[in-house]
Amino acid sequence: MRGAFRDVTPDFRAHVAGQVTHHCDGRVSALTDGATSALAYAMQLVAGENGTVALPGFGCVDLLAAALFARVTVVTYDIDPATLTPDLDAVRRVVGEGIDALVIAPLYGFPIDVDAVRRITAMAGVPVIEDAAQGAGGACRGRRIGTSGDLVVLSFGRGKGLSTGRGGALVSRHADFDGRVRDLAATLSAGDAGWRDWTVNAAVWALARPTLFAIPSAVPSLRLGEMVYHEAHAPRAMGDRAVALLPDALRDGVRDAAQRGVIAQRLRSAIEPTCGSHLPAPLPDSSGGWLRLPLLDETGRGASPPLGIVRSYPLPIRAMPEGRAILRDRHAPEPGADQLARRLLTLPTHRFVTTPVIDRIRLWASA
């Protein structure tokens, strides 16, 4: 957290943007105030107003917020509950129906076989926007989440694998988009002081401890674990404190992902024999970033917020009321997305999940 006190000069901001570009194996990047605004800009850049964008059938409502701001039409494709990855037959269907861009959004650090997706989109000349907000260090065949899309969106908000409290980035990995992303970066060359970002990051770090998390989880107005809709807006500059913290977040990302992986495997070993539910697993030849441990609950046990166990997104994208005006087909069958909305719980994997906490989670799982 001491990095927050760095002096954020224009040269330092440009240096950090270069680090982000390198992190995504990209060409140019713009540091934004959040991932949703970056995603909205990406949709506008690729699809244009009134274009059609394909979204995963299960995910955060921020996907729809970005699409609404971008003024695009949305279609959705199904997700495989066993791996949390796109159903490739569903991807073929939406590409065949005609789209201008396809968004992939890895869930909880579970990597996607982007090569398989791109073999489908390339035949139709459809660009891929990789929303790597939940990437958290996951990789498929050695290729890290956030290094495969034509455009890549990153999030540095609370609860993400690379957290500065707030902020995001848009990275171009294709020459066709370099100019527009470079122009965006030029207009976002200065941010506010951003001390709120530092305060949020410090509070998240402190309250992540299970012994303390029960306190905010008991306050209904905080709406922890809920999916809350926020309207998107045009990208703004990332605050200075978030920029100051970003080099440390990028440096520590690999270490943090490894720590989460160890805790995720300990949790799996503890609860798999007793939970009576299915634990999704990453694709073969891939490694999860384990931002959270997903569990398909088949017993109806329900969430336990004091333990950090929360329900995932409660509705598939096509059923979210915010999307009524822009969804092209709200009735396409998506059994995978429906199952995830009904049954998916997620468990914490951060470094404060100690042996006593795992024992308490084991008791919850066996109840």
Side-chain angles (χ1 to χ4, degrees):
M1 302 295 286
R2 289 191 297 271
F5 297 94
R6 293 184 176 110
D7 185 19
V8 179
T9 64
D11 285 346
F12 181 80
R13 186 176 283 267
H15 171 70
V16 175
Q19 289 183 307
V20 171
T21 303
H22 177 74
H23 178 78
C24 293
D25 191 19
R27 300 167 59 91
V28 62
S29 65
L31 303 180
T32 64
D33 61 320
T36 307
S37 62
L39 180 59
Y41 189 88
M43 291 180 184
Q44 289 175 329
L45 198 166
V46 175
E49 189 170 328
N50 300 320
T52 300
V53 175
L55 299 179
F58 180 78
C60 181
V61 71
D62 289 345
L63 295 167
L64 278 179
L68 279 162
F69 185 82
R71 298 180 183 274
V72 296
T73 298
V74 168
V75 296
T76 58
Y77 57 87
D78 205 10
I79 299 295
D80 179 357
T83 60
L84 305 186
T85 60
D87 179 310
L88 295 180
D89 287 336
V91 172
R92 290 187 188 93
R93 173 182 60 81
V94 295
V95 170
E97 291 173 353
I99 58 175
D100 297 294
L102 184 131
V103 175
I104 56 173
L107 289 163
Y108 308 117
F110 274 47
I112 291 170
D113 186 348
V114 183
D115 289 342
V117 172
R118 292 184 74 97
R119 281 193 291 271
I120 299 169
T121 59
M123 291 188 295
V126 173
V128 173
I129 301 171
E130 185 178 9
D131 180 357
Q134 298 184 24
C140 183
R141 290 190 288 275
R143 191 169 185 83
R144 191 177 63 248
I145 295 171
T147 61
S148 298
D150 297 300
L151 288 165
V152 176
V153 174
L154 298 178
S155 174
F156 308 120
R158 62 184 178 90
K160 299 300 192 296
L162 302 172
S163 180
T164 62
R166 190 180 176 208
L170 177 62
V171 182
S172 170
R173 297 190 63 259
H174 195 290
D176 287 352
F177 308 124
D178 289 357
R180 289 283 298 278
V181 174
R182 190 176 288 111
D183 290 345
L184 174 65
T187 66
L188 304 178
S189 58
D192 58 28
W195 284 107
R196 176 184 176 277
D197 304 336
W198 181 86
T199 303
V200 167
N201 216 35
V204 169
W205 179 83
L207 294 174
R209 294 166 173 80
T211 53
L212 297 177
F213 189 75
I215 299 171
S217 71
V219 181
S221 62
L222 294 180
R223 305 182 72 177
L224 296 182
E226 294 185 37
M227 185 173 66
V228 181
Y229 178 77
H230 299 286
E231 288 188 2
H233 55 261
R236 303 165 187 155
M238 184 187 293
D240 285 353
R241 290 318 101 204
V243 174
L245 287 165
L246 191 47
D248 294 343
L250 292 169
R251 181 197 65 209
D252 296 338
V254 174
R255 180 203 65 193
D256 294 345
Q259 288 179 339
R260 288 192 303 270
V262 170
I263 293 167
Q265 294 310 315
R266 290 184 64 197
L267 280 168
R268 288 179 69 94
S269 297
I271 68 178
E272 201 159 20
T274 62
C275 71
S277 297
H278 176 70
L279 292 163
L283 291 166
D285 300 322
S286 68
S287 55
W290 303 108
L291 186 63
R292 304 274 297 174
L293 177 68
L295 181 151
L296 284 168
D297 179 31
E298 313 214 352
T299 66
R301 66 173 59 82
S304 177
L307 287 175
I309 302 170
V310 297
R311 293 214 69 84
S312 190
Y313 309 121
L315 294 170
I317 291 288
R318 71 184 192 287
M320 292 179 181
E322 294 83 4
R324 286 189 184 122
I326 59 173
L327 276 156
R328 192 167 75 189
D329 185 359
R330 296 177 57 86
H331 304 290
E334 292 179 352
D338 290 341
Q339 182 180 358
L340 289 167
R342 289 195 310 269
R343 296 181 177 176
L344 190 64
L345 301 173
T346 66
L347 285 64
T349 55
H350 51 66
R351 64 183 181 275
F352 300 122
V353 179
T354 57
T355 298
V357 176
I358 291 173
D359 289 340
R360 291 170 61 194
I361 290 175
R362 181 191 291 111
L363 289 174
W364 167 86
S366 60

